[in-house]
Amino acid sequence: MNCFRNILLLVAMSLTVWCLSGCQDDNPLDTGQGKPPVIKPSESDIGKPPRFPEIIRLNVVTVEVPAGQASGSEEIWSYLDEEPIGAERLVLLGRNGVRVGLGRDKSMPDIIRVLTRMTGDGLGRRLMVGRRGSPHHITLKRDQGIQTIFMFHSDRTLSGDDMPAGDNVLSVACTVDENDANRMILTGMPQVRSTKTKTRFRSDAGGVRIVNNQAMFGFRDLMFQMPMKAGEFLVIGPGAAARRPHSVGRHFLVAQKQGMDFETVLVITPRAEMLPQSPKP
């Protein structure tokens, strides 16, 4: 508990430094003291064809809580909006032990307060950068052996498959509305990234190259899409069904430490950015 409070204190101190330096947009745990980042054309863009954000930054924060604190409580979800992904998708994710909620306005301090009460630990932060629409793979569990995972489908059937050895990842892609650069859609899907690679030949301007790719095995029925605006964030965590031994939620969001279960909660904050313009010769 004290360890987690100390980490949160460091995060709060970092927030102050970022705010004073004018770089608060880089902070995934924005306390809402400033306004959400809004993309506006610069003076140099006036009169020119409109430019659209090409770069997506994902700030990903992971918190580990004791088993049952996230999956067995409604408190953290009371500050989030789960409806934008649709009622049918919401029910399907719940049956498979996964919950997704949208955080708006100044709800981040409330989320931190709830996670602190849950005696969360293992706070980690990573920044992922790529082009808009390109998938980012957030690794949740590494070096897993062959896993037998059962999944409920949209037609209410249940099936089980043996997944190959590899990493359990959450694949996330963010696209931007070209009519309003501050509106985005974040698409997510749990996948198993196989340890084994496949060799392919790729032809390009430089000739023929040998490319080794890791095979991805996705749970397509659990793909979700969340409309978001600048400054909003996404929280992903285990639901009640994650207690089932072979559920998707348990395999991706529950880890064991010396025989004891701990649950993982993710906080994802996307931000769209313009590509820097090349200086004039």
Side-chain angles (χ1 to χ4, degrees):
M1 180 70 175
N2 292 332
C3 177
F4 185 65
R5 284 179 175 172
N6 291 336
I7 296 175
L8 287 179
L9 180 59
L10 291 174
V11 172
M13 293 173 63
S14 299
L15 288 177
T16 305
V17 173
W18 281 321
C19 290
L20 292 176
S21 62
C23 300
Q24 62 186 31
D25 292 352
D26 289 333
N27 171 30
L29 293 176
D30 186 11
T31 57
Q33 297 299 322
K35 296 181 179 179
V38 177
I39 300 174
K40 297 180 180 180
S42 62
E43 294 182 0
S44 60
D45 293 331
I46 297 177
K48 297 181 181 180
R51 296 170 58 223
F52 303 107
E54 294 292 342
I55 299 298
I56 299 295
R57 290 177 177 264
L58 289 181
N59 282 303
V60 183
V61 174
T62 59
V63 180
E64 203 172 60
V65 300
Q69 289 296 307
S71 62
S73 171
E74 289 295 320
E75 186 175 12
I76 189 173
W77 306 104
S78 66
Y79 296 100
L80 303 168
D81 188 1
E82 299 179 80
E83 295 183 358
I85 61 174
E88 183 178 348
R89 187 65 49 180
L90 183 65
V91 172
L92 183 58
L93 288 170
R95 286 176 178 168
N96 287 280
V98 180
R99 295 187 73 167
V100 180
L102 180 66
R104 296 192 175 99
D105 300 328
K106 300 180 181 180
S107 57
M108 180 62 80
D110 295 317
I111 299 298
I112 295 177
R113 177 170 47 81
V114 172
L115 291 173
T116 303
R117 262 204 311 268
M118 291 179 176
T119 66
D121 201 357
L123 179 67
R125 180 179 183 268
R126 71 189 94 169
L127 175 65
M128 310 181 79
V129 183
R131 287 189 173 272
R132 61 172 180 168
S134 298
H136 301 263
H137 303 299
I138 304 171
T139 304
L140 301 175
K141 296 170 74 173
R142 296 183 181 275
D143 301 324
Q144 300 298 294
I146 296 176
Q147 308 169 85
T148 301
I149 302 178
F150 283 84
M151 180 177 65
F152 282 98
H153 301 275
S154 53
D155 59 1
R156 298 189 178 183
T157 59
L158 177 68
S159 67
D161 287 301
D162 289 332
M163 295 289 109
D167 302 329
N168 292 358
V169 304
L170 176 66
S171 297
V172 174
C174 190
T175 51
V176 184
D177 184 349
E178 293 190 351
N179 295 319
D180 184 355
N182 296 291
R183 300 180 64 89
M184 299 166 281
I185 294 180
L186 191 146
T187 303
M189 182 174 66
Q191 297 197 94
V192 173
R193 181 174 55 202
S194 174
T195 303
K196 295 183 179 180
T197 60
K198 290 185 177 180
T199 302
R200 297 189 307 168
F201 293 93
R202 178 178 296 177
S203 179
D204 54 26
V208 179
R209 296 185 294 123
I210 298 178
V211 180
N212 294 320
N213 291 328
Q214 292 177 284
M216 305 292 289
F217 299 85
F219 297 86
R220 297 189 180 278
D221 276 13
L222 300 187
M223 179 184 290
F224 61 87
Q225 293 184 328
M226 181 71 77
M228 304 181 68
K229 297 179 181 178
E232 296 179 336
F233 59 93
L234 197 67
V235 176
I236 302 173
R243 301 171 191 174
R244 291 191 293 106
H246 297 292
S247 67
V248 176
R250 183 172 186 84
H251 278 273
F252 281 76
L253 297 171
V254 180
Q256 279 198 344
K257 290 184 177 180
Q258 298 181 4
M260 297 185 66
D261 291 339
F262 290 86
E263 300 174 343
T264 300
V265 178
L266 298 172
V267 182
I268 303 175
T269 307
R271 190 181 76 176
E273 293 184 351
M274 303 286 190
L275 274 175
Q277 291 183 317
S278 301
K280 294 181 179 180

